[in-house]
Amino acid sequence: MAKKRPQTKAKRPQTTGGASAAGAKGEVPVVGAREPCPCGSGRRYKACHGRAAAHAVTELVHRPFEGLPGECDWVALRELVPAATVALPLKDGLPEGVPAVTLATVLPMAWPALRRDDGSVLLGLQNDTSSGDISRDLADTLLRALEAAPGSPVQGRRAPADGPRLQDLLDPKGAFEPEVHSGFEFWVPDPENATPEVTASLERANAAAIPTVKLQGVDAAYWCETPEKNHLRWVMPHPEEQLLDALARLHAAGRSSLGEGTRLVGSFRAHGLTVPVWDLPSGMSAQDVEKPAAEFAERLATALATDAPLTVDERRARGGLTNRQVTLS
């Protein structure tokens, strides 16, 4: 049986004006869940102002990466790309003793973050998070990694409800330029001295990684290779309803493909953005799809600018696309 956590009986803070005055000021200190709420209402904290604090922690943020440079690539790296890294510039610059901060899709042993021996920080993106705001959870992990002892991993925890988000820590003018890798060798700068656990984790991760390439001619589009066919997954920033209308117009007109043997098959919905997906022939490489993707981007821009009502055929096409939409998050 787990031990019960001892409850402390802190002295009630002095407030004036009762519950209404404390609530209006928004200055209600956090105490134990079963202790009297410091607003003076006479109710336990968890049944009074604690409700709002708990809701703030669990409420789902549908677009956690909104406002960050490269929002579409953040979504792609979180949900679609097996192995990639990105240098993260901090708003206030790097702390002393931290030569670099790097975002990584996955870290060995599924660590949320790692402070390397040289003081640099690796922040894992594809870990499970304990609250409804991925941005706040990642920011909390990053801050703890910056203060961790070199050579140690950082474990996950529930971020404080009033803690900073990535948008508060990262340079809003900094570039977000993912580097996609064929495997996870970036985990270990010195593979010969890696621990057996890390080596085994590296081998398992490399065996499961799907070959993926980021297109250069358009934003946030990723080619990937599977045994039966290849795919293009393209994270787009446009409002979902507007984008689905535009895709339906092109689909009904027979202009939604990326060339012979390709087909727009549906879309994902991830972190508030829509990700159209195309099936590609197995022989179609990432380089082969660069030009067709750029040409499709021009057709899509024209369709997005059209506000005429959808025709019967376009509505039918839209229904088909909607039925083949899968929500990832």
Side-chain angles (χ1 to χ4, degrees):
M1 182 179 294
K3 292 184 178 180
K4 292 185 178 179
R5 180 178 299 175
Q7 297 180 19
T8 59
K9 293 186 177 181
K11 183 178 180 181
R12 178 187 289 188
Q14 296 298 314
T15 58
T16 58
S20 60
K25 290 180 180 180
E27 298 175 351
V28 181
V30 176
V31 297
R34 295 178 178 274
E35 294 179 38
C37 187
C39 73
S41 66
R43 304 170 68 191
R44 288 181 176 179
Y45 175 71
K46 70 174 185 178
C48 192
H49 282 85
R51 285 183 173 179
H55 180 69
V57 171
T58 59
E59 185 178 11
L60 178 63
V61 176
H62 292 281
R63 287 182 65 179
F65 308 116
E66 184 176 15
L68 291 173
E71 179 189 5
C72 293
D73 284 309
W74 276 93
V75 172
L77 267 57
R78 167 75 183 183
E79 299 294 340
L80 307 173
V81 181
T85 55
V86 190
L88 294 181
L90 303 187
K91 184 179 294 185
D92 298 325
L94 294 172
E96 184 178 357
V98 181
V101 173
T102 303
L103 180 73
T105 47
V106 180
L107 293 180
M109 319 295 287
W111 288 325
L114 171 66
R115 183 86 185 272
R116 282 179 159 166
D117 291 335
D118 66 355
S120 61
V121 168
L122 286 177
L123 177 66
L125 179 59
Q126 293 183 10
N127 297 82
D128 292 335
T129 55
S130 56
S131 81
D133 187 354
I134 297 171
S135 178
R136 196 179 307 281
D137 287 331
L138 288 171
D140 178 69
T141 302
L142 174 56
L143 288 176
R144 290 186 292 122
L146 292 173
E147 298 179 351
S152 60
V154 176
Q155 303 300 329
R157 72 171 188 182
R158 171 166 287 187
D162 58 350
R165 308 178 73 238
L166 288 174
Q167 288 81 346
D168 302 314
L169 303 182
L170 303 184
D171 184 353
K173 297 181 180 179
F176 190 82
E177 299 175 349
E179 179 181 358
V180 178
H181 304 276
S182 59
F184 296 87
E185 282 70 21
F186 63 86
W187 283 356
V188 282
D190 186 8
E192 294 182 357
N193 293 322
T195 65
E197 292 83 1
V198 170
T199 299
S201 183
L202 175 62
E203 292 175 352
R204 289 193 300 270
N206 281 343
I210 296 174
T212 301
V213 177
K214 185 180 189 299
L215 298 195
Q216 300 301 308
V218 295
D219 293 334
Y222 291 81
W223 170 95
C224 66
E225 179 183 21
T226 61
E228 296 183 357
K229 62 184 68 175
N230 299 340
H231 305 279
L232 184 71
R233 301 162 174 174
W234 193 341
V235 187
M236 297 187 173
H238 317 292
E240 181 179 7
E241 297 302 315
Q242 180 187 10
L243 177 58
L244 288 175
D245 282 353
L247 292 173
R249 295 181 197 278
L250 295 175
H251 203 60
R255 306 183 71 205
S256 65
S257 76
L258 299 174
E260 184 178 355
T262 71
R263 186 168 66 99
L264 175 64
V265 292
S267 62
F268 296 130
R269 182 189 291 114
H271 305 293
L273 299 182
T274 303
V275 188
V277 178
W278 285 262
D279 278 352
L280 310 174
S282 58
M284 192 173 193
S285 68
Q287 183 61 40
D288 294 334
V289 82
E290 286 278 7
K291 183 178 179 181
E295 293 171 347
F296 178 84
E298 295 180 358
R299 298 197 298 273
L300 180 63
T302 300
L304 286 167
T306 303
D307 58 4
L310 296 180
T311 66
V312 172
D313 288 342
E314 290 168 348
R315 289 199 300 272
R316 186 179 300 113
R318 193 186 194 283
L321 291 173
T322 302
N323 290 337
R324 296 192 298 274
Q325 190 173 52
V326 177
T327 299
L328 298 181
S329 58

